Amino acid sequence: MATDFVPTWPNVDLGHMPNQQFLKRIMCLLRALPRVVLNLGALRDADILIARNFDLLVLAWFARVCLIGRRPKLIYECLDIHSLFTGTGAVSRLMRWLERALLRRIDLLWVSSPGFIRCYFEPVQGYRGPHALIENKLWFDGPSPPRPDRRDRGAGRPVTIGWVGSIRCQASLDLLTGLAERLGDAVQIAIHGNIHRHAVPEFDQAIGRFDTITYHGPYTYPDDLGRVYADCDAVWAQDLWQRGGNSDWLLPNRIYEASWFGCPSIAVSDTETGRRVESAGLGFTIAQPTPDALADLVRDLTPDRLAAASRRLLTMPDRAFRLDLDDVAKALAAVDAHQEIRFSLSKP
C-alpha cells in the first residue's frame, strides 16, 4: 500500500514482507538476519529498539543479541493480535510459545488498545511486565488539516455511510451490501481506501450490484481526509475481520480520523471499539453486526441527530484524536532512559 513511499530517515531495507503467506514470511525473516548483522553499526548508538509487531520483534531481539557489550532497551509495539496467535492448533501454540519467550526479554510493551492487555497479553500470555498505551491516533508531520467549525447536512437527502481506510473485511462488505439491499435509495455508501484483494476477492462484483455504493479509490493521507469525511454523514468504524479476537479488542485509527472532522462513528457495542464510541460519545452503536440492526440505526439517523453528534465531536479537544510528542514521551516513561527522552521530545 505504500510502494511509492520514500523514507525521510536513514533507512535499511530488510525486505518485503507479504500478507498472509506465512512460509514466505519466515523466509523473509531468515533473509533479513544477515542484513541486520551487516548493518549493526547503525544500531550501536541506540538506547532503545522499538519493534513494530512480532516479525520485527524477532529481528530486534536478534540485533540486540548481536550488539556485544551493549544492551539497548527493547520495546514491543503491538498494533494487532494476529489470528495465528489465537488459534487452537499446533502452529498457534508454537507461535504463542515463541512470543512468550520474547515477552520475557522485552523492557516495555506498547499497545494501541487496552483490550489487548485485558483480553490477550494478561490472560493468554501471562504477561505481567510494564506496558503503556499509545493509541493509533492521528499524527501530522506538518500542519494539521483544519477541523471544520460545523457540519450542515440538509434534510431530504439520503444518509451517506462511509467505509474508510484499509478495506479488508469481508464481513463488513457483506454488512454494507446488506444495508444497501434493505434501504435502497434511502442510503448511500461511500468507500475510500486501499482494497486488500486477498481478503475481499469479490469486492468489485459485490458493490457492482448497487448504484448506491461507490468506491472512490485510494486517498492521500492526510491531505484528502477532510474531503473524504466531509462526504460522509457517519462512518462504519468496526473491524469484523477477526471477530472473537483481534477485531473485538482493537481501537481502529478511523475513529480518531472521523472524530477529528466531526463525523460520527458506528460500531458494535460489545467490542472495544463500540465501548470507546459509547463512553467517549464518538457516535452510535448497534448490538449485533447484522444488516437489519444497521438498517434500523440508519433509519433513525435524522439530520438533527447527526448534527448533534457532529457538534459534540467538534467541541472535543484536538488531543482526544491527535497524537503528540507528550503522548510518546509518556509511553516511554517505563524505560530507564525516560528522563533524557522527555527532554529530547519536549516541545520548544
Side-chain angles (χ1 to χ4, degrees), residues 46-99:
D47 296 310
I48 299 172
L49 303 179
I50 300 175
R52 183 185 173 105
N53 281 341
F54 183 76
D55 305 83
L56 293 179
L57 177 61
V58 173
L59 296 181
W61 169 78
F62 174 75
R64 188 169 70 171
V65 169
C66 294
L67 287 169
I68 307 300
R70 296 231 341 115
R71 192 184 183 279
K73 301 296 183 180
L74 180 56
I75 295 177
Y76 178 21
E77 182 183 17
C78 182
L79 303 175
D80 289 291
I81 309 294
H82 198 282
S83 59
L84 194 62
F85 292 86
T86 57
T88 58
V91 174
S92 291
R93 292 196 298 271
L94 173 62
M95 294 302 295
R96 286 194 293 273
W97 179 83
L98 290 171
E99 186 180 51

Side-chain angles (χ1 to χ4, degrees), residues 168-325:
R168 64 180 184 180
C169 178
Q170 183 65 50
S172 291
L173 179 62
D174 294 342
L175 182 69
L176 292 172
T177 54
L179 175 67
E181 286 176 343
R182 283 157 178 76
L183 295 191
D185 292 340
V187 68
Q188 295 283 328
I189 298 169
I191 303 175
H192 300 264
N194 291 288
I195 310 299
H196 291 234
R197 299 286 175 179
H198 70 281
V200 283
E202 312 240 334
F203 175 82
D204 296 313
Q205 298 94 313
I207 70 168
R209 298 184 292 120
F210 300 96
D211 294 334
T212 55
I213 302 180
T214 304
Y215 173 53
H216 296 273
Y219 55 89
T220 302
Y221 182 97
D223 301 342
D224 291 340
L225 289 179
R227 170 185 60 80
V228 167
Y229 286 105
D231 289 340
C232 304
D233 293 311
V235 292
W236 174 247
Q238 185 68 59
D239 188 331
L240 299 172
W241 190 32
Q242 296 169 326
R243 191 82 162 107
N246 186 62
S247 294
D248 288 0
W249 307 333
L250 58 75
L251 290 175
N253 176 256
R254 58 174 64 97
I255 64 173
Y256 310 107
E257 287 184 358
S259 298
W260 177 272
F261 294 100
C263 185
S265 296
I266 300 173
V268 181
S269 58
D270 67 349
T271 67
E272 195 72 19
T273 305
R275 286 187 285 272
R276 176 61 64 87
V277 167
E278 289 180 345
S279 65
L282 304 184
F284 315 101
T285 60
I286 54 178
Q288 295 294 328
T290 65
D292 287 334
L294 184 55
D296 288 342
L297 171 66
V298 173
R299 289 189 188 99
D300 289 339
L301 294 182
T302 63
D304 287 344
R305 190 179 181 193
L306 287 167
S310 181
R311 283 194 301 272
R312 183 168 59 246
L313 292 171
L314 292 175
T315 60
M316 294 182 185
D318 290 2
R319 284 200 62 181
F321 314 122
R322 175 182 180 172
L323 193 69
D324 66 20
L325 295 178

Side-chain angles (χ1 to χ4, degrees), residues 14-32:
L14 297 177
H16 172 71
M17 185 67 75
N19 281 319
Q20 295 294 334
Q21 304 170 49
F22 301 121
L23 289 178
K24 289 185 177 180
R25 290 173 76 94
I26 292 172
M27 294 305 299
C28 183
L29 278 175
L30 293 175
R31 287 194 298 269

